[in-house]
């Protein structure tokens, strides 16, 4: 059952009931990092209210108190996340994400059949303050944003044409993938912020998943690749 949401100038999460099975889906762990599969419906970090404390970060810190989040996924986005296990690893990973030396791609299912097999989306983005946390395209004040897409499959869900697509964000703006696809005319199915109601109701969750993440190990510099196949 999906958690209902209401967005009024700031995020208000109603009836927050994050999934608990498994409580932690650990893909890899050593003395420096822990890599997890975050489920859809779980916050990456605690919210402001006590009832929104449950998050991937709070769960991991229960086991490893010195662990730290170095990047985030939207609550309804699932997929691979890495956390540091100590301060030196935090600094190393923060630098990688800031300098965009990490590699990652997402899988999404969007409404409609995308006509091109691949391409770039480069709408500039900025927060939509009256409607935050929504983002919007603005050619005057928006920050440069780019996403590369590759069509994997065109099919249908309940009579609705859909496209399964691989997304590689070149930049890392908030809600970048969701807004870029919506502005291109192909909103992600299940997206309660950016898709029309009929597209939201096609599925029981946002069909956006961080399937692969590449990082340099904080201690030995080895390139590591972590993968978790999407469940849609």
């Amino acid at each position: 059952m999906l958690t209902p949401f209401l967005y009024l100038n700031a995020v208000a999460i109603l009836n927050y009931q994050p999934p608990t099975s498994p409580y932690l889906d650990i893909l890899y762990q050593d003395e420096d990092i822990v890599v997890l599969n975050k489920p859809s419906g779980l916050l990456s970090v605690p919210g402001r209210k006590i009832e929104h404390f449950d998050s991937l970060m709070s769960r991991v810190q229960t086991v490893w108190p010195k662990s730290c989040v170095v990047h985030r996924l939207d609550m309804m986005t699932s997929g691979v996340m890495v956390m540091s296990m100590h301060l030196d690893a935090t600094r190393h990973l923060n630098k990688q994400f800031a300098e965009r030396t990490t590699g990652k791609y997402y899988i999404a299912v969007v409404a409609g059949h995308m006509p091109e097999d691949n391409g770039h989306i480069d709408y500039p983005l900025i927060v939509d303050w009256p409607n935050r946390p929504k983002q919007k395209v603005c050619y005057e004040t928006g920050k440069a944003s780019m996403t590369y897409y590759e069509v994997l499959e065109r099919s249908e869900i309940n009579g609705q044409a859909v496209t399964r697509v691989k997304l590689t964000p070149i930049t890392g703006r908030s809600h970048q993938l969701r807004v870029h696809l919506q502005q291109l005319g192909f909103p992600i199915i299940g997206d309660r912020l950016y898709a029309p109601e009929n597209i939201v109701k096609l599925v029981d969750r946002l069909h956006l998943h961080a399937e692969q993440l590449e990082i340099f190990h904080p201690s030995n510099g080895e390139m590591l690749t972590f993968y978790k196949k999407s469940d849609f």
Side-chain angles (χ1 to χ4, degrees):
M1 187 76 178
L2 268 184
T3 303
F5 304 97
L6 176 63
Y7 295 89
L8 294 176
N9 297 326
V11 183
I13 306 171
L14 302 182
N15 301 324
Y16 178 49
Q17 297 177 343
T20 57
S21 181
Y23 189 69
L24 287 175
D25 186 0
I26 298 173
L27 305 178
Y28 175 85
Q29 185 265 322
D30 62 23
E31 295 181 352
D32 301 296
I33 61 174
V34 58
V35 182
L36 308 105
N37 175 41
K38 188 191 83 66
S40 176
L42 178 67
L43 291 165
S44 292
V45 299
R48 295 179 182 178
K49 297 182 178 181
I50 188 64
E51 58 265 36
H52 303 150
F53 177 75
D54 189 14
S55 64
L56 190 68
M57 185 180 86
S58 60
R59 292 182 183 185
V60 173
Q61 288 182 340
T62 299
V63 184
W64 296 288
K66 294 184 179 180
S67 61
C68 185
V69 166
V70 294
H71 69 124
R72 304 182 188 186
L73 294 176
D74 293 342
M75 182 174 71
M76 297 311 295
T77 302
S78 59
V80 182
M81 279 186 61
V82 61
M83 290 180 61
S84 60
M85 299 290 273
H86 52 78
L87 184 57
D88 285 343
T90 300
R91 291 169 176 162
H92 195 287
L93 291 168
N94 278 337
K95 184 178 181 181
Q96 289 187 53
F97 281 98
E99 296 179 353
R100 300 174 188 167
T101 58
T102 59
K104 54 188 172 182
Y105 74 80
Y106 296 70
I107 297 296
V109 179
V110 304
H113 283 168
M114 301 181 75
E116 304 296 332
D117 289 338
N118 54 69
H120 288 85
I121 312 170
D122 60 357
Y123 300 115
L125 302 178
I126 193 170
V127 64
D128 185 358
W129 284 107
N131 301 296
R132 60 188 184 277
K134 295 182 73 172
Q135 308 292 309
K136 66 178 182 179
V137 172
C138 182
Y139 289 96
E140 295 181 356
T141 58
K143 296 180 179 179
S145 309
M146 181 172 288
T147 302
Y148 176 77
Y149 69 88
E150 177 185 350
V151 169
L152 301 178
E153 181 184 15
R154 298 177 180 90
S155 60
E156 290 187 357
I157 295 179
N158 296 330
Q160 168 65 52
V162 297
T163 302
R164 184 178 181 85
V165 60
K166 177 181 176 181
L167 303 168
T168 304
I170 309 304
T171 53
R173 309 301 180 197
S174 181
H175 294 184
Q176 176 177 315
L177 303 179
R178 299 163 71 177
V179 179
H180 273 181
L181 288 162
Q182 183 261 344
Q183 287 291 310
L184 196 63
F186 303 95
I188 300 176
I189 62 176
D191 191 343
R192 298 187 175 212
L193 272 184
Y194 299 105
E197 189 65 21
N198 65 308
I199 301 304
V200 173
K201 291 181 176 180
L202 280 175
V203 289
D204 63 355
R205 57 154 289 194
L206 174 70
H207 273 38
L208 180 62
H209 177 78
E211 191 167 79
Q212 182 169 297
L213 175 66
E214 294 178 338
I215 62 168
F216 293 98
H217 193 279
S219 291
N220 59 30
E222 179 185 359
M223 172 64 83
L224 301 176
T225 300
F226 302 102
Y227 173 88
K228 181 66 176 183
K229 184 175 176 60
S230 70
D231 59 4
F232 53 77

